[in-house]
Amino acid sequence: MSNVCLKNSCIKGITTIVPENIINIDDEIKYFDNNTKKLERAKRMIGFGKRHVVMGDTTAIDLCEAAANKLITDMSIDRNDIDALVLVCQSPDYLLPSSSCILHGRLSLSPNCATFDISLGCSGYVYGLWMVHSLIASGAAKNVLLVAGDAPSTHSNVANRKCNPLFGDAASATYITYSSEDNSAYFSLGTDGKGWDRIIVPAGGRKLPIKEDIVNISEVDAAGNVWFIGDEILHGMDVFNFTMDVAPKNIKQVLEFSQKDISEIDYFVIHQANKQIVENVARIANIPSDKTSSETFSKYGNNSTNSVATVICDQLNNNIVNHILISAFGVGLSWGAAVVNIKDIYNGGVSVMKNPSKSSTRMEQALYWAKQFKEG
């Protein structure tokens, strides 16, 4: 694992946005054979509750824009002062250009602001923090807007009960600036690329573009879950075993590297994969129950890229805390943990983005781009 201590950065503020549409697991009892006991058992074990999901042509980038604009407004940030925009997202609007460039334009940031994407899922926010702290520590940037967002609900069919009920959509914006104070942040990161196919959306990229010859390919597994070629494949037991092996060790390593004891950490922000995983990671890592929680999963689902940011905004927006430990893990396979100081941070909590009054149909979008081909 890669360990690094980065100094002279200050996390000034954070806020999270979720879409307006809510799905309550109680309204999906038909997927549990209309059996109340089976539903309640799933709620106790996995932590199913509510989740916010995008609708129509609303995307993760729309959520990212809303989160960034809210933080900029709430903190009275001068857009011209932002000299770097880092976007962490696995649900891009287009294969190209990079989503960060689209977001840069929507936010009306300075042409002197550098932008780039980080394509990572559940571990992405920790990697984003590490990258931003690195930029500031090197002197490459002074005021950085870190935006993280994903729409994992769009990666599976509603009839796929192995994946679909787990995921909710969200985005966050975090403002990080140069500080003359030490303000050390500690990171421990790792990757196991041999497990790249354990969590994957097989079709849609350049390796296997979605075209007429494969668009209707689907399978039904033994449990009755429907899988399409462009949906997310999640090898649950492999991912569970990976998590139990890696996450507690990663937490221990970053604690040792930062020379901090569990008692010196005010809160442990653990990726909300599901209740069972959060509680097992906490148990193996000997984290006290009052210093972590899986409640955010039950309220918002697994937000993938934004999961740990949602926890910060949901669980800590009314709490006075200094040092937190963030632990995230998943697709890649990749993982990361960080010990950071969020004393005096502005926490905007979790807000809801209203559905746009007008959206474009798929056909309207296709005809628009067809016209662009003609004019080009």
Side-chain angles (χ1 to χ4, degrees):
M1 298 181 188
S2 173
N3 296 326
V4 64
C5 173
L6 297 167
K7 303 178 180 181
N8 302 118
S9 295
C10 180
I11 302 175
K12 291 287 191 177
I14 185 172
T15 197
T16 287
I17 292 284
V18 294
E20 182 177 12
N21 308 289
I22 300 175
I23 298 177
N24 192 319
I25 198 68
D26 291 336
D27 296 330
E28 297 186 309
I29 192 170
K30 66 180 180 180
Y31 295 114
F32 296 88
D33 301 325
N34 289 310
N35 187 318
T36 302
K37 289 184 178 179
K38 187 181 289 188
L39 173 61
E40 291 302 318
R41 181 173 179 272
K43 288 166 68 175
R44 286 195 305 272
M45 289 184 60
I46 307 301
F48 290 133
K50 297 178 181 179
R51 58 193 192 275
H52 291 247
V53 300
V54 295
M55 298 290 286
D57 67 342
T58 301
T59 69
I61 305 306
D62 296 322
L63 294 173
C64 288
E65 178 186 3
N69 274 324
K70 184 178 187 301
L71 188 67
I72 289 170
T73 299
D74 289 354
M75 296 185 66
S76 300
I77 298 169
D78 187 336
R79 294 172 194 260
N80 291 320
D81 288 342
I82 300 172
D83 49 19
L85 168 65
V86 178
L87 174 63
V88 187
C89 182
Q90 273 202 151
S91 299
D93 282 7
Y94 307 99
L95 289 177
L96 59 89
S98 64
S99 296
S100 58
C101 290
I102 297 171
L103 186 59
H104 177 281
R106 290 191 190 181
L107 296 176
S108 299
L109 300 182
S110 165
N112 297 318
C113 173
T115 72
F116 61 92
D117 292 8
I118 296 176
S119 179
L120 270 176
C122 306
S123 64
Y125 187 78
V126 175
Y127 272 77
L129 278 180
W130 167 69
M131 178 59 70
V132 171
H133 279 73
S134 298
L135 288 172
I136 293 174
S138 71
K142 287 188 175 182
N143 303 301
V144 184
L145 187 63
L146 171 64
V147 182
D150 207 351
S153 73
T154 63
H155 300 171
S156 63
N157 186 286
V158 68
N160 184 329
R161 306 317 292 171
K162 187 173 183 179
C163 287
N164 197 265
L166 293 171
F167 294 107
D169 306 328
S172 68
T174 307
Y175 193 51
I176 306 166
T177 67
Y178 171 81
S179 171
S180 58
E181 299 179 4
D182 183 322
N183 209 23
S184 297
Y186 302 89
F187 297 88
S188 178
L189 310 171
T191 308
D192 178 11
K194 293 180 180 178
W196 65 272
D197 61 349
R198 298 298 82 189
I199 308 172
I200 186 172
V201 177
R206 293 300 86 193
K207 186 71 171 179
L208 187 60
I210 296 179
K211 296 183 179 180
E212 291 183 2
D213 59 331
I214 66 168
V215 70
N216 291 320
I217 292 178
S218 65
E219 292 288 343
V220 180
D221 66 18
N225 296 302
V226 181
W227 302 83
F228 285 89
I229 196 69
D231 291 345
E232 179 175 322
I233 297 176
L234 174 65
H235 294 271
M237 188 52 65
D238 290 344
V239 174
F240 180 84
N241 291 336
F242 150 76
T243 301
M244 293 306 108
D245 178 53
V246 166
K249 292 178 182 176
N250 194 206
I251 290 170
K252 180 180 178 181
Q253 181 161 15
V254 80
L255 281 172
E256 291 176 350
F257 179 60
S258 64
Q259 297 184 328
K260 292 190 181 300
D261 186 79
I262 286 178
S263 63
E264 297 177 86
I265 303 297
D266 297 311
Y267 198 83
F268 290 79
V269 179
I270 300 175
H271 165 50
Q272 305 286 289
N274 63 46
K275 177 184 177 182
Q276 186 180 47
I277 286 178
V278 173
E279 291 183 348
N280 274 285
V281 168
R283 176 182 57 81
I284 297 171
N286 295 315
I287 299 170
S289 60
D290 62 341
K291 286 194 173 188
T292 193
S293 173
S294 64
E295 289 180 11
T296 302
F297 174 80
S298 298
K299 295 164 71 173
Y300 300 103
N302 178 341
N303 294 157
S304 183
T305 300
N306 202 67
S307 175
V308 289
T310 307
V311 176
I312 295 171
C313 293
D314 176 50
Q315 295 291 311
L316 302 179
N317 66 322
N318 292 316
N319 295 358
I320 299 174
V321 296
N322 291 337
H323 288 98
I324 63 172
L325 188 152
I326 307 173
S327 171
F329 37 84
V331 64
L333 297 167
S334 62
W335 59 91
V339 172
V340 295
N341 190 340
I342 59 169
K343 182 182 179 181
D344 299 327
I345 189 178
Y346 165 76
N347 191 326
V350 181
S351 302
V352 174
M353 184 187 83
K354 296 290 184 181
N355 291 328
S357 57
K358 187 178 184 301
S359 61
S360 300
T361 65
R362 285 173 55 83
M363 184 56 67
E364 287 172 337
Q365 293 180 60
L367 290 174
Y368 170 82
W369 292 115
K371 185 178 179 182
Q372 294 294 309
F373 278 119
K374 183 178 179 181
E375 293 178 353

